[in-house]
Amino acid sequence: MAVLGEIRKRPWLLMGVIALALVAFLINPDTIDQVFGKNPSILGKVNGEDISRDEFNDQLFVLQQQAQQQGQPQNGLEEQAWQVLVQSKLIKQEFEKLGLELTDDVFWSQLQYDPMFAQNPSNFDEKGNFKLQDIKKQIESLQNSGEAEMYNSWLRNKKSIEYRMMARILFGNLGNGITASKKEADLIVKQRDEIANIDYVKVDYTSFEKINPVKVTTQDLLDYIKLHPTRFKVDANRNLGYVYFPATPSAQDDAASLNELNKLFLKGSDAFNGTENFQNTTNDSMFVELNSDVPYIPQYLKPEQLPSTLKDKIASAAIGQTFGPYKEQNYYIVSKLLDKKPSDSTLSSHILIAYKGAERSTATRTKEAAKKLADSILADTKSNAANFDKDLKFSDEPNAVERKGSVGWTTPESQFAPGYLQFLATNSKGTIGLAETQFGYHIIKIDDKKAGSMAYKVAHLAKSIKASDKTESDVHNKATRFIQQIQGKSFNEFSNIAKKGGFTMQNPKSVTRFQGQLPGLGTDKDSEILMWAFDKKREIGDTDIFTVDGTGDRIVVYVAGKQDAGLANPESVREQIEPIVKNKLLAKKIIEKINSAKAGSLDQIAKMFNTQKANSDINFFNAFLANSMEPKVAGAAFGVANNKLSSPIEGMSGVYVVQRKSLKSNKMPGDAKQVVESIQQQNSSMFGQGYLKSLQDNADIEDFRIEVWDKNHQ
């Protein structure tokens, strides 16, 4: 009502509201965002070229697909997707600058060299020829069959393939121009073969600091960073501290889980009015599915695949015998032996008749049409087993004819569709029959069988040992008391309070918005914590509590530092560069002392620093001196005249003064021609990575992700 009153008093405000509403009606939300802020559909720019949210999502989808196929985690790939897109844009820009073009003809001719196809033997025939026409037909069938999701998946992968092709062509063209001259090779041969014999004095940094300590200030670190801006260019990041409060089940929670299991095992399930328990049930699989915290496993397993408690007992057990309760990780378990039999190995072949909607299927036929075709093929092969090979042409499995439909040897433990394994388990050698799985209809021929070791079918009734509501409440109270203690405190105080309370604190000093997982955590709350930490309102000293889903664990997070994109904050990299900067400060002091003394011999310098003169051989290829690699000392050894003192040299482990005694040549195997070839090979192998890094270091890359990522959601 107060707002309406204000509008009535100020008619211009009403007109403003109406005008804004008209604007919102006439133009789309993206245009409003472009007027009043960042466009949420644009995540960044590379040399002025947009990176759209759609193409980012496509690249992320491709990476997640690859991770799934390789059995890797599919979360936390956002930063990798961004980097791939940035590099792909840079490659495309350079590709086009050189006047190169990726035509359709070039794409199809180069497809066989892309890792996605080159590493799959099924894409080549027995003579090693790439099956390009077969692959084209498969893609056309996806497009024409109305399988939009699968065809769109191909288009996403095609875009990634195109970028890889452009990179290969670009690097190949530029790499072919990498050469090495004979003059360069002669110089390298000379540097390799010439050896300088030197007397030297080393003033060790560590020894000097004991008497002349130095303190590395923040400004010292900053000065060093400014001298190496490319090395210390960083994305926006946060310095976080967090303390984890696990909702560990108490002794009472442990006992409650055991009591619950014993009730189901010995007394009865509430679902059956207490009359059916795990001992007397006649339907073990259904009882487990209804009452257990782990699913029923219908497969036969070998002893080594069973819980450790059963491994040594299962062989002598009778059918129906139970084991437990026993504890396995965070579960109490009772196991019952349901059956045992030899684990036969079976050699089989099949003809797959798929249909639209079946798993991994590109077929367009209906399920009814597939069943009709499968029945027809089954009748043909059963009338004459020799017809099986002839009918393989109907199979929807890739390369079925070439492989004669064989799936190789399998056992009941193999990772195959249950319907297929069930057919193998219940039929003998020579049988031809029909089985249905999620992939379609299989006409299966059992080619051979071999008896193996015993396998066991076991039902497991399990109850997880979970924290009770009381335990979770205690953990919440503990985390709440802790966050109350640290309100308004410095990070050092946060750390000290955590240590005093006996809590484990993690302190990753540089986390980025899209890195996916936090060091030392790896929970479902990691992404939420990162979003919170990078909120524009977030300030140093802010804290919050996060609850992990499913466990009740609490995480208290503290913002210890904020870093915008640009040069690294000196203190965030102190551990990394402080030893280097300290040595430079020490070197400056040592060199000033040597120069001011105007010493005329190595003996005088050695006496000044209470050290000894030493002698050694050194060359450019073996610049190892006084237990340290010292390339600058090698350079000075060849740059000073015989019997002359060099200027003080700032080395890796100390300051050196060198007096060259003599030069000699130790001819090594390998002439200039071999060196030229070696240089060209080495430079060519390193070119691609170095060239791409150079492009990225010198590109104008704008990253809007933090600003726009959650705008649509908001």
Side-chain angles (χ1 to χ4, degrees), residues 466-504:
K466 296 181 292 190
S468 63
D469 291 343
K470 180 181 181 306
T471 299
E472 281 197 37
S473 178
D474 291 344
V475 170
H476 176 74
N477 292 338
K478 188 184 296 184
T480 302
R481 284 195 299 272
F482 177 74
I483 204 169
Q484 288 170 346
Q485 287 179 287
I486 62 172
Q487 290 296 324
K489 298 290 197 301
S490 69
F491 182 66
N492 281 339
E493 291 172 303
F494 169 85
S495 178
N496 289 333
I497 292 170
K499 187 176 181 180
K500 186 177 179 181
F503 308 128
T504 301

Side-chain angles (χ1 to χ4, degrees), residues 350-353 374 417 420 433-444:
H350 75 137
I351 299 169
L352 172 63
I353 307 301
Y420 195 101
L434 185 68
E436 182 183 357
T437 73
Q438 67 267 36
F439 303 104
Y441 294 100
H442 305 257
I443 297 90
I444 303 173

Side-chain angles (χ1 to χ4, degrees), residues 354-372:
Y355 52 83
K356 186 176 180 179
E359 193 168 322
R360 299 182 194 167
S361 171
T362 59
T364 57
R365 66 176 70 91
T366 63
K367 185 174 182 180
E368 292 74 17
K371 180 64 165 64
K372 186 176 180 180

